[in-house]
Amino acid sequence: MRHDPAARIIQKKTWGDFHLLRLESQALSSEAAPGQFLMVRTTDGYDPLLRRPISLHDAGGIGLEIFFRVAGRGTALLAAKKEGDILDCLGPLGKGFRLDGFGPDKTAWLVGGGRGIAPLFFLARTLLSKGAGVRVFYGGKTVSEIPLREKFESAGILLDCSTDDGSFGFAGLVTTLLEHELRAGRPDGFFACGPDPMMERAGRLALRLGLPAQLSLEAIMGCGFGVCWSCVHRIKKDNEGAWRKICEDGPVFGADEILWEEA
Amino acid sequence: MADLRADLGFLQLRNPVLTASGTFGYGMEFLSFLDLSAIGGIVVKGLYYGPREGNPPPRLVETASGLINAIGLPGVGVEHFAADVLPELRKHDATVIVNVCGDGDEEYFQVIEFLNRYDGIAAYELNISCPNVKLNGACPAMNPHMTRTIVATAKQRSRRPLVVKLSPNVTNIAEIARAAEDGGADGISLINTLLAMAVDLETRRPKLGNVFGGLSGPAIKPVALRMTYQVAQAVRIPIIGMGGICTGRDALEFMLVGARAVQVGTANFVDPAASVRIVHEIAEYCDARGIARVADIVGTLETNR
Ligand SMILES: Cc1cc2nc3c(=O)[nH]c(=O)nc-3n(C[C@H](O)[C@H](O)[C@H](O)COP(=O)(O)OP(=O)(O)OC[C@H]3O[C@@H](n4cnc5c(N)ncnc54)[C@H](O)[C@@H]3O)c2cc1C
Ligand SMILES: Cc1cc2nc3c(=O)[nH]c(=O)nc-3n(C[C@H](O)[C@H](O)[C@H](O)COP(=O)(O)O)c2cc1C
Ligand code: FES
């Protein structure tokens, strides 16, 4: 983990509430792996006080990208940054996706909803470079919530989209689309990122089908590097549930490790 | 460069900047950001006798220039701390103060007696704000009698200097400080977090799993400064001030009202190197004004018009 108080924004793209920033930072990009995240300061002052966790959308060389959706004041401040501005970031943080075993003749399905697509671009590129087959399922409420379609396609990544309102692709939840497709074929594993209810559906589906799955979880984070204990989730340990830190032990966990609250 | 040493009487510090309990882990988490021997010392995360899980999430919510935490003091317990953490800390030449917790007086004493057997601890900080389950969540810090009683016994059982950490959630902080001094405390640290809550208007639910939590960060600095000043007027033992300190100037303000040292808490989350940056900022302030010893600033607030 490194601290770069001045990662420069060299490119910015905007689609409504969604923004993509390309940054330059040797410190942050050198050890970056898919599934890891940054803690980004949104202001020089102390309000908002805390850094915001944002996934690595891509990384390579001295460049890295973040992709985010405005969710409140902190992300709105980030969205107001311009090319040439600098960002104060800590990272890369957390343990990313475990990719051992995913080489040629293996296939991985990646499932992302809304802003949850963010880490899956870096993941898809990395899997492809290892020779694995990759298929991405990308869902949103409506067509304007799946702005990265072209980016995935132009990177040569097989893409299936869904929208809740049917305005583009499959009409329904992305996990429902996944369920349909799983009747026709099986990958060697899947990877998912999105809101908790989606992660729970994806996780239970994987367990039912006996498919290995890795899920990236979210939580409100005070620090992002393991000291405040704010970001805990129930994770199986010795057949019981223990609170584990999402920022340090995750954010990626195996579907078989995660315990969901009983409804 | 200005002389930054801080004399707490019972303990000499390289400089007046310590890190606050619960915001600095057990210290090792910060090694990639700073050298533990570059700061005055570290107060480790609160220790109960056994390991503890903490509260159900959500455990933290951000508020204007602050945050409310209801982490619930999870921790590794004294045995694991003494066996695995303490030897590591000793290698890094850190001045270590242990924040002692307990659910009921007896547990505090057990923690102290267990840790008495190990070297490498400079002092204990008695966290008398821990809720006592048997007393409906009341804590010793709420009442001068309970404070004096627990401090007196803790002091008797301890082979080390004892700092007593006060809660701001009281009517008369000076009275509690005097009770701690009467009980035999070697020093006082303050403030712990302010009891607070946050609610979600849309879902009509509390934002914290535990409903209540403790407010910290820049938002509480004016309250902390006022209480530090009041306590400095009320007792003779050394005071360690904290609450919202983010810069060298913030730290110096606490010293001005009477603190001989300070602790940096929430700022560590935002800037992991905050404590060492604050040491540098204090030195720069002194050098720019020709102040030879930072200790000369302590308690020099001029209140005459
Ligand atoms: C490991 C991790 C990686 C993330 N990666 C991305 C990403 O790549 N792109 C992206 O758009 N978002 C990402 N998020 C979510 C992002 O951190 C939050 O949307 C952001 O912190 C909200 O800040 P705000 O000030 O805009 O909103 P606030 O006003 O603070 O909150 C707005 C709403 O978001 C909720 N919220 C606040 N903090 C978080 C949080 N840390 N996680 C989830 N919900 C939160 C609040 O409860 C509230 O309902 C990630 C979160 C985590 C934990
Ligand atoms: C997440 C968190 C955990 C804390 N844990 C402890 C603790 O274990 N023991 C203790 O005495 N104080 C604890 N505190 C209180 C701090 O040590 C400090 O008194 C308070 O936060 C005020 O300082 P600050 O505004 O600089 O953070 C904790 C505070 C926070 C934010
Ligand atoms: S966010 Fe602080 S421990 Fe995970």
Side-chain angles (χ1 to χ4, degrees), chain A residues 1 50-52 229 234, chain B residues 33 53 59 62 71 270:
Chain A
M1 163 191 31
L50 299 171
R51 291 171 184 268
R52 297 297 191 260
W229 282 87
R234 281 264 181 234
Chain B
F33 299 111
E53 273 226 293
R59 289 178 166 189
E62 189 184 60
I71 310 288
V270 184

Side-chain angles (χ1 to χ4, degrees), chain A residues 220-231 245 247:
Chain A
I220 291 184
M221 292 188 172
C223 67
F225 50 94
V227 292
C228 74
W229 282 87
S230 65
C231 61
K245 292 178 272 190
C247 71

